[in-house]
Amino acid sequence: MALRASGLGNFSNTELDKALAGKQASANIFMNNYNHGLSGASTPKDLETLFQLIYQKFNAVSKDEKSFENLKNTYVTYLANQSENPDMVYQDSVNSTIYKGNKFFRTPKSEDVKKLDYDFIMKAYKAFFNNAKDFTFYFVGNFDEAVIKPFIEQYIASLPTSKSKFAVKEFQTYKGELKNNFTKEMANPQSQATEEWRSNKVDYTLQNNVVVDIAGRLLEMKYNRSIRENLSAAYHAGASSDYDVDPNANKAVYTITGSAQLNPDKQKEAVPCFFTGMDETIANPDAADLVKAQQILLKQADVDAKTNGYWLGVLRTFVERGIDMHTDYKKTVSATDAKAISAFLKNVILAGGNHAEIIMTATQKK
């Protein structure tokens, strides 16, 4: 965010916005768990402006002290009373538990933001973006190859390169059984619960991605029925699935997460439903829910295939990992049966032996 508040070349952040008025082009620096780069978009008419922004983001991000201080003050104010915000407290507790207190995943405190060193941030930016040699550029959308090629030659081929290279280090997560249960006073008591099951590393494949997605959706429907509808114990109850891909190999850790915002008076009755629902889905996945989940995914696949973001993801996975996540996707969804769901939950998710429980029990603030 600090870099987005910075200037570009001779323009301050505000002046840059004015200079781009009337143009539909943007390029922003990003950094996630294992990657850093640029993401951008433009209309065909403003394509060259996009390339100019890419070039400048590598070469000419400049300090804008006023914009940076305004951003800092905004975050300091926002974070000042985070201990009074139950949702922020709880999410920070979830991340801290899963990622073993790693600050990369923690919610920063106001004091942390106040200590931000703009010079250090700029130095880090230059270290990450002084070498385009290891970057792969993907362009998807409505463009003419004959038009875009000269822009690539002018603005991408001329980017700086060096011999520097980053080593990728994996983030560590919990292993085994872990519980973080605590109480929190609040004006309007609402407990929150998370039950996460985490596999060990297994093959990162289209099949596993589809099966874990469907399994998460089946549990979403089951938890909603058992906790929210039948017990009337939750303001929200559901499940989700995810995966953390090994940065150095075609391996992944798959997760299933059950979560709920609970009525404190029914919390003790509701939490066991997460485990009962998992056991029931392993024993006998609901046939009607399976059909519903498949229909949703098949319909969404047609919608996604019309978006640039979808194809960027498909291309990246194919180029970087040699895995085609598109061609057989719908066939894989349709072929996933109850046996595959049961086997995956039992032999991959639960077999990992990794389970984290994070429960915030709400009490009435005095």
Side-chain angles (χ1 to χ4, degrees):
M1 293 301 295
L3 293 175
R4 291 193 183 191
S6 297
L8 199 61
N10 296 322
F11 293 104
S12 68
N13 189 263
T14 301
E15 290 168 343
L16 180 62
D17 288 340
K18 292 179 179 178
L20 292 173
K23 294 182 180 293
Q24 291 180 277
S26 64
N28 291 301
I29 290 169
F30 71 82
M31 185 175 296
N32 55 33
N33 295 15
Y34 300 119
N35 298 285
H36 64 279
L38 292 166
S39 61
S42 78
T43 60
K45 178 175 67 71
D46 294 317
L47 191 59
E48 185 171 14
T49 301
L50 170 63
F51 278 88
Q52 291 170 340
L53 288 171
I54 293 171
Y55 183 85
Q56 293 288 73
K57 291 288 183 177
F58 271 90
N59 290 284
V61 173
S62 56
K63 293 176 70 174
D64 184 336
E65 295 283 0
K66 182 179 179 180
S67 180
F68 178 71
E69 287 302 317
N70 288 339
L71 179 66
K72 273 180 64 174
N73 292 335
T74 298
Y75 274 94
V76 167
T77 301
Y78 173 70
L79 296 169
N81 299 312
Q82 63 177 293
S83 63
E84 299 300 315
N85 185 320
D87 290 335
M88 291 181 69
V89 169
Y90 183 68
Q91 190 56 56
D92 186 52
S93 298
V94 170
N95 291 341
S96 179
T97 301
I98 291 173
Y99 292 101
K100 303 172 68 172
N102 191 320
K103 285 191 174 183
F104 188 87
F105 299 95
R106 297 290 302 273
T107 302
K109 300 183 183 301
S110 289
E111 293 73 20
D112 298 324
V113 177
K114 289 178 182 177
K115 295 176 183 177
L116 286 176
D117 185 332
Y118 202 2
D119 288 330
F120 177 82
I121 292 171
M122 293 301 293
K123 183 178 179 180
Y125 146 71
K126 290 176 182 177
F128 278 103
F129 287 88
N130 71 348
N131 180 22
K133 184 177 180 180
D134 289 330
F135 278 71
T136 302
F137 293 86
Y138 300 88
F139 297 96
V140 172
N142 179 22
F143 59 80
D144 187 325
E145 289 187 32
V147 173
I148 200 173
K149 185 178 178 180
F151 296 153
I152 293 173
E153 293 171 342
Q154 180 177 354
Y155 297 106
I156 302 298
S158 60
L159 288 173
T161 61
S162 71
K163 295 182 179 180
S164 64
K165 189 176 180 67
F166 285 95
V168 180
K169 183 179 180 181
E170 282 191 81
F171 290 107
Q172 297 300 307
T173 58
Y174 70 92
K175 291 289 184 181
E177 186 75 22
L178 187 61
K179 291 188 178 183
N180 179 7
N181 297 341
F182 61 98
T183 60
K184 172 69 177 173
E185 287 188 348
M186 55 189 79
N188 298 302
Q190 179 177 285
S191 296
Q192 296 195 50
T194 295
E195 304 288 347
E196 182 191 87
W197 292 270
R198 180 173 287 260
S199 77
N200 290 324
K201 284 185 181 180
V202 296
D203 291 339
Y204 175 60
T205 65
L206 171 63
Q207 172 72 21
N208 284 342
N209 286 10
V210 168
V211 175
V212 76
D213 190 354
I214 295 176
R217 292 170 187 270
L218 296 188
L219 288 164
E220 164 85 14
M221 289 183 268
K222 181 171 285 290
Y223 292 156
N224 186 61
R225 282 195 297 267
S226 62
I227 298 174
R228 183 173 180 270
E229 296 177 6
N230 297 342
L231 290 179
S232 297
Y235 308 95
H236 164 79
S240 61
S241 64
D242 203 355
Y243 48 83
D244 294 328
V245 185
D246 188 321
N248 300 308
N250 282 344
K251 298 287 184 178
V253 171
Y254 290 89
T255 60
I256 292 287
T257 304
S259 60
Q261 296 171 312
L262 297 166
N263 179 339
D265 295 332
K266 296 187 176 182
Q267 178 179 322
K268 289 184 178 179
E269 187 179 5
V271 170
C273 292
F274 288 114
F275 301 94
T276 302
M278 175 66 78
D279 291 340
E280 290 175 351
T281 302
I282 290 174
N284 185 29
D286 188 286
D289 287 349
L290 176 56
V291 171
K292 184 177 180 180
Q294 289 172 316
Q295 290 174 339
I296 291 172
L297 288 178
L298 292 173
K299 183 177 181 180
Q300 189 61 45
D302 291 332
V303 175
D304 290 344
K306 298 176 182 178
T307 66
N308 291 339
Y310 169 79
W311 287 106
L312 280 171
V314 169
L315 284 173
R316 283 194 61 184
T317 304
F318 185 75
V319 171
E320 296 171 15
R321 300 189 175 271
I323 301 173
D324 180 357
M325 292 290 182
H326 171 74
T327 304
D328 292 329
Y329 176 79
K330 294 174 75 171
K331 182 171 70 175
T332 304
V333 170
S334 298
T336 299
D337 57 16
K339 184 178 179 180
I341 299 295
S342 297
F344 187 87
L345 289 175
K346 180 180 179 180
N347 301 327
V348 177
I349 297 296
L350 295 192
N354 306 309
H355 168 252
E357 176 181 88
I358 305 97
I359 297 178
M360 178 177 70
T361 300
T363 59
Q364 184 65 53
K365 191 171 185 178
K366 299 176 182 178

